[in-house]
Amino acid sequence: MGNKQTIFTDEQLDAYQDCTFFTRKEILRLHGRYHEMAPHIVPMDYTNDPDVTIPIQLIVNMPELKENPFKEQIVKTFSEDGEGNLSFNDFVDMFSVLSEMAPRELKAIYAFKIYDFNTDNYICKSDLEKTLNKLTREELAAEEVTLVCEKVIEEADLDGDGKLNYADFENMIGRAPDFLSTFHIRI
């Protein structure tokens, strides 16, 4: 009788709730944000699981990401295609992992992926250099960057192979109590 539009089926909303840290209302709000970025691409009706992606250029300009020096890397990490084009599922996953409700262990897994620029499953000196340059907006001299990266590897590389595997990284951020408070985005 009413003219309320159905965006998702109850089963879809249940599935999103089961695999994220969001309520139904938050999922619908995320869909609204996703739709706003590309109304000509993103349908309001998702009951038939449309195969739609939004390009990275639109995602990185969201207010939540715009000022983040890792915005491209974050979006690429969550995109199924690895290029940064996000489906709605990718978009929800990104915001779920970066939500305040996500557990530290999950955040650590994705932080490692974000800082692993060359995607070799290690954080090597070049990954650390890129990370440091992004964090400092390239204001450090090359010698300072090299010194900091060498010190990080010296302190955190438990197996002595000259690069950080996930266990090394997890151990390092375990000693950083503010990691959880800085690795989140509010929607």
Side-chain angles (χ1 to χ4, degrees):
M1 296 287 234
N3 60 0
K4 190 168 192 246
Q5 184 175 5
T6 302
I7 298 172
F8 298 104
T9 65
D10 283 339
E11 293 78 22
Q12 286 173 307
L13 284 172
D14 288 344
Y16 280 121
Q17 274 191 282
D18 290 346
C19 62
T20 68
F21 302 100
F22 295 126
T23 64
R24 285 174 171 243
K25 187 175 180 180
E26 291 167 326
I27 292 160
L28 292 170
R29 190 167 59 211
L30 277 171
H31 177 267
R33 296 294 307 282
Y34 189 72
H35 178 77
E36 280 172 14
M37 283 188 284
H40 55 288
I41 299 172
V42 178
M44 283 305 292
D45 181 352
Y46 257 73
T47 56
N48 294 320
D49 290 321
D51 184 21
V52 173
T53 60
I54 293 182
I56 189 172
Q57 299 83 358
L58 295 176
I59 307 287
V60 297
N61 284 310
M62 293 180 68
E64 294 87 347
L65 290 172
K66 199 174 201 159
E67 300 302 319
N68 191 311
F70 298 96
K71 61 189 172 200
E72 286 92 0
Q73 192 68 9
I74 290 169
V75 175
K76 285 178 182 176
T77 298
F78 286 93
S79 71
E80 204 171 310
D81 69 6
E83 298 296 315
N85 303 304
L86 296 187
S87 68
F88 182 67
N89 288 348
D90 298 335
F91 186 75
V92 171
D93 287 345
M94 178 178 76
F95 275 96
S96 184
V97 169
L98 297 174
S99 75
E100 292 175 332
M101 299 304 294
R104 180 184 186 95
E105 299 75 30
L106 185 61
K107 289 179 179 290
I109 290 166
Y110 279 92
F112 183 83
K113 290 178 181 188
I114 290 165
Y115 301 141
D116 179 17
F117 285 90
N118 62 8
T119 65
D120 65 352
N121 293 319
Y122 292 97
I123 296 178
C124 62
K125 189 170 180 251
S126 74
D127 293 326
L128 285 172
E129 288 169 351
K130 285 181 182 169
T131 299
L132 192 56
N133 282 324
K134 285 187 176 292
L135 285 172
T136 62
R137 305 221 190 276
E138 300 192 16
E139 291 178 3
L140 295 179
E143 307 80 47
E144 293 172 305
V145 170
T146 299
L147 186 67
V148 170
C149 293
E150 287 171 356
K151 191 72 176 159
V152 167
I153 288 174
E154 178 186 318
E155 298 263 331
D157 179 20
L158 301 176
D159 60 6
D161 63 357
K163 55 192 174 188
L164 307 182
N165 60 33
Y166 179 71
D168 296 333
F169 179 78
E170 195 175 33
N171 182 53
M172 180 180 71
I173 64 168
R175 295 180 285 168
D178 59 340
F179 170 73
L180 267 184
S181 64
T182 59
F183 201 77
H184 75 270
I185 294 178
R186 286 196 179 98
I187 55 162

